[in-house]
Amino acid sequence: MRNRASGFLALVLSLCGTGNLVAQNPPQESLGLLVEVRQHVERLRSDEVWPGFEPETIPVLYVLPNQGTLLMGWPEALPDGFAAVEGVPGAGWSEAAERGAASTGTNLGGRGAAQIVVGELRLAALVGITVHETFHVFETSRQRPGLRFGQGENSFLVTRYPIFDVENEAAFALEGRTLAATLSAATDSAARELAREFIAVREARQRRLGAELAEFEQLAELNEGLAQYAGARALQILAEDAGEQARADLLAEAERMLGDLQGLITERERSIRLRYYSTGMAMALTLDRLAGDGWKYRLVEENLTLQDVLAQASG
């Protein structure tokens, strides 16, 4: 999830004063795991996930609830409020942990950074969300007037979305099932045909939905769907050189990040925005299969949506 929050540093300073904090060390179990997460992120080559995206260059704040905050990947003198972590270059520790913190993009000392709330201590999950949130920081850095990429959706439109419109919901469910079939198709020609079916259903549904809400869906897929794709794609890449068990864990997490395309409308208690994590990621994975990496350049340079590029790739 992304917003442009910038209050973390102010919170640290208010709690700790303006000098460098003399902090206890971070919990060793968490520190060891997060160092390993950092090592995995650093194995990703520049442009390997997305053109121009270098996740190892983006600092990350790992919030350990009720314990503190670990800063990783800081390239210069640590910000006020953080003490150096012995033996871990670019790492700082603060005993402050923002209450109610969320995983998001933020600003620290005038530099874009990702913030991640650490829940379960699982390597694959933390690698995936680290790349997801650093991709949001990258998206923000590429914002330009009129450019869809990096713009983000208008989240206020969630309250106006017709979640009780049976026809719209049925068509959306069909889109999810069609995308699932596209990803599992035995041949590229079958995948291309199914992608055409998806585009036909979607365009008909969005004409009925209206231009404003259709744009909301498309921008949500560019925002959250692409970030989810980046996290899962990083896991797939890292799995290629991993041992048997690590490979299985990384690929299982990538699959979990895709979500249940067969049941997109069934979990009413979840925000509808979560649908677009799955549909955006599924379209991106389909484009990898049908169009290679070239689709990523076209999407940005021609100011397209994911469904635009998929319509082109499927003919």
Side-chain angles (χ1 to χ4, degrees):
M1 182 180 296
R2 177 180 68 175
N3 66 37
R4 297 172 180 82
S6 58
F8 181 83
L9 181 59
L11 173 70
V12 172
L13 294 179
S14 68
L15 292 176
C16 310
T18 57
N20 283 332
L21 179 68
V22 178
Q24 297 179 359
N25 290 324
Q28 287 303 302
E29 180 184 9
S30 300
L31 176 62
L33 179 61
L34 293 173
V35 166
E36 191 174 356
V37 169
R38 179 74 189 173
Q39 291 169 344
H40 276 67
V41 171
E42 289 176 347
R43 292 191 189 112
L44 296 167
R45 296 188 297 273
S46 298
D47 302 336
E48 195 168 20
V49 172
W50 190 271
F53 177 45
E54 300 175 323
E56 78 281 2
T57 67
I58 299 172
V60 182
L61 291 158
Y62 291 101
V63 180
L64 305 174
N66 302 316
Q67 298 180 78
T69 301
L70 180 65
L71 172 62
M72 300 285 285
W74 194 256
E76 50 203 29
L78 290 170
D80 286 342
F82 288 89
V85 177
E86 185 177 356
V88 187
W93 172 251
S94 167
E95 288 185 311
E98 182 181 1
R99 295 182 180 88
S103 295
T104 182
T106 187
N107 186 289
L108 182 62
R111 181 185 294 273
Q115 176 175 282
I116 294 164
V117 178
V118 178
E120 55 182 335
L121 297 177
R122 287 196 304 114
L123 176 66
L126 287 167
V127 171
I129 193 172
T130 295
V131 177
H132 176 114
E133 294 301 344
T134 53
F135 191 81
H136 277 319
V137 177
F138 167 74
E139 286 179 305
T140 299
S141 73
R142 296 301 175 97
Q143 286 179 343
R144 301 292 183 273
L147 184 66
R148 288 188 174 104
F149 184 84
Q151 178 179 333
E153 74 279 10
N154 180 359
S155 296
F156 290 108
L157 290 175
V158 169
T159 61
R160 291 176 44 197
Y161 196 88
I163 58 172
F164 298 110
D165 183 323
V166 174
E167 186 174 343
N168 184 73
E169 292 292 278
F172 203 104
L174 178 58
E175 290 175 24
R177 292 195 295 271
T178 306
L179 282 172
T182 303
L183 289 174
S184 62
T187 65
D188 289 350
S189 60
R192 189 170 288 108
E193 177 62 29
L194 286 162
R196 284 197 291 268
E197 292 180 18
F198 164 77
I199 292 296
V201 174
R202 165 154 290 202
E203 289 183 347
R205 181 182 64 80
Q206 288 186 338
R207 280 195 295 272
R208 181 176 179 274
L209 186 63
E212 187 177 43
L213 289 173
E215 182 184 54
F216 161 75
E217 292 187 336
Q218 293 159 10
L219 292 180
E221 286 167 339
L222 283 176
N223 178 22
E224 296 294 358
L226 279 185
Q228 196 77 341
Y229 162 80
R233 185 71 190 110
L235 292 169
Q236 292 173 340
I237 292 167
L238 292 167
E240 293 173 2
D241 297 323
E244 183 177 352
Q245 184 57 56
R247 175 183 170 84
D249 291 344
L250 293 166
L251 292 178
E253 183 61 24
E255 187 69 21
R256 188 202 65 78
M257 292 182 75
L258 177 60
D260 181 13
L261 289 167
Q262 302 278 3
L264 288 176
I265 69 169
T266 58
E267 297 188 49
R268 291 286 187 182
E269 71 278 7
R270 303 177 71 199
S271 168
I272 63 163
R273 291 181 68 250
L274 295 177
R275 299 176 178 183
Y276 307 111
Y277 287 59
S278 295
T279 55
M281 177 177 162
M283 279 190 276
L285 291 172
T286 301
L287 283 162
D288 280 348
R289 178 176 186 176
L290 299 182
D293 281 342
W295 71 268
K296 300 174 184 178
Y297 296 93
R298 289 201 307 279
L299 181 139
V300 177
E301 291 170 1
E302 299 177 26
N303 199 22
L304 301 175
T305 66
L306 278 164
Q307 66 192 61
D308 290 336
V309 187
L310 185 57
Q312 292 178 2
S314 65

